[in-house]
Amino acid sequence: RTESNAKPRGALIVLEGLDRSGKSTQCAKLLSFLEGLGHQTELWRFPDRETNVGQMISAYLSNKSQLDDHTIHLLFSANRWEKRSLMEEKLKTGTTLIVDRYSYSGVAFSSAKGLGIDWCKAPETGLLAPDSVMYLDISPERAAERGGYGDERYERVEFQRKVADFYQTLRDSSWKIINAGEAMEEVEKKIQEVVLDKVKECALGKPLNLLWS
Ligand code: T5A
Ligand code: NA
């Protein structure tokens, strides 16, 4: 019965991981891979620093402004909510979205600062649940060696270790752990396998779910 209602749609693919785990590198590779296969695909990222909210986030991350921990958490969340309806529209009209960070970043980073995990999850409830979360797994030390951490607020090894612990508490059946310490080409191949399966399932009408409700 559900199958007769099934409508083809795009897949919501999220890449997560510590700072410097290689998310943006892999997102770009995945975009050209899917486009090369003829799939309608877009690359999105959070924070989306282009919006008004995104500009406030960007100023905070680069230490140009100070904000209470709760306030910045809600801004990150608002930044996802302002893109939610467009996200749903894109997926329903057959575009696959590759998303560089999502609600898992939101909860893991704020929880690592000491905010309660349930408090952190609450404003994310009702956002679209990813069809696949690829967690790029790397130790904070190895990540730090990659081009060195820059000047952004969260780029410290001890803090990243806490973030990694909170990420683990968020794992669910949509997650796939990818060893991000391997060569870029190896990481790329593993991601491609997972994503192709998901793109097929969604084309067959896999229902869209909501986060944490
Ligand atoms: N944040 C974010 C929150 O607190 N709450 C939220 O809700 C959200 C969404 C900014 C910060 O905001 C926090 C998390 C972050 O601290 P951002 O803008 O995504 O988030 O951060 P960026 O600085 O843009 O990106 P990252 O630091 O996360 O790096 P990436 O994208 O993981 O790594 P990438 O691809 O840029 O690669 C880093 C370096 O490693 C090399 C690359 O060439 C590059 O030099 N590299 C590899 N080297 C060897 N082997 C491989 N396999 C490699 N893959 C990449
Ligand atoms: Na990035």
Side-chain angles (χ1 to χ4, degrees):
R1 183 166 298 219
T2 41
E3 267 155 46
S4 62
N5 295 329
K7 285 220 184 77
R9 64 170 176 89
L12 181 54
I13 306 292
V14 168
L15 271 75
E16 286 282 5
L18 299 183
D19 292 10
R20 300 295 183 271
S21 55
K23 298 175 300 299
S24 295
T25 302
Q26 293 299 331
C27 281
K29 288 174 181 290
L30 184 57
L31 175 67
S32 35
F33 173 70
L34 291 176
E35 284 180 338
L37 293 174
H39 294 292
Q40 199 174 305
T41 311
E42 287 183 17
L43 173 49
W44 286 23
R45 66 176 317 184
F46 292 107
D48 178 342
R49 301 189 192 215
E50 307 286 305
T51 70
N52 289 333
V53 172
Q55 284 167 25
M56 293 174 73
I57 295 170
S58 191
Y60 171 83
L61 286 172
S62 56
N63 292 305
K64 292 189 186 95
S65 74
Q66 306 304 321
L67 291 169
D68 170 80
D69 290 345
H70 301 80
T71 309
I72 184 64
H73 181 78
L74 294 172
L75 289 179
F76 273 117
S77 187
N79 189 229
R80 284 182 279 279
W81 276 101
E82 62 186 345
K83 304 303 289 284
R84 189 202 180 285
S85 60
L86 184 61
M87 184 178 260
E88 184 166 352
E89 186 186 313
K90 292 277 179 187
L91 293 170
K92 287 187 168 166
T93 53
T95 299
T96 285
L97 299 179
I98 302 166
V99 182
D100 190 347
R101 293 190 185 279
Y102 196 55
S103 300
Y104 308 92
S105 284
V107 176
F109 280 78
S110 292
S111 299
K113 292 169 159 179
L115 300 186
I117 195 159
D118 290 333
W119 191 90
C120 291
K121 281 170 118 171
E124 307 294 322
T125 302
L127 289 171
L128 300 175
D131 296 297
S132 178
V133 178
M134 239 85 53
Y135 181 76
L136 300 194
D137 192 22
I138 194 169
S139 72
E141 290 80 9
R142 284 205 64 191
E145 288 165 9
R146 292 190 170 168
Y149 285 152
D151 304 323
E152 286 216 324
R153 192 176 281 267
Y154 299 138
E155 296 175 347
R156 298 187 322 273
V157 168
E158 326 81 72
F159 183 74
Q160 296 284 323
R161 189 181 317 286
K162 285 189 195 161
V163 173
D165 290 343
F166 280 105
Y167 262 128
Q168 290 316 307
T169 70
L170 298 173
R171 273 172 78 164
D172 62 40
S173 60
S174 70
W175 281 48
K176 196 87 188 170
I177 310 296
I178 307 279
N179 180 358
E182 295 188 342
M184 283 181 199
E185 296 71 23
E186 294 306 311
V187 179
E188 187 182 357
K189 273 187 223 149
K190 300 232 163 84
I191 291 176
Q192 287 173 356
E193 283 171 29
V194 178
V195 167
L196 275 183
D197 280 349
K198 288 297 165 185
V199 167
K200 280 179 201 150
E201 281 177 35
C202 294
L204 292 171
K206 177 180 181 283
L208 256 181
N209 292 315
L210 303 182
L211 268 185
W212 296 326
S213 39

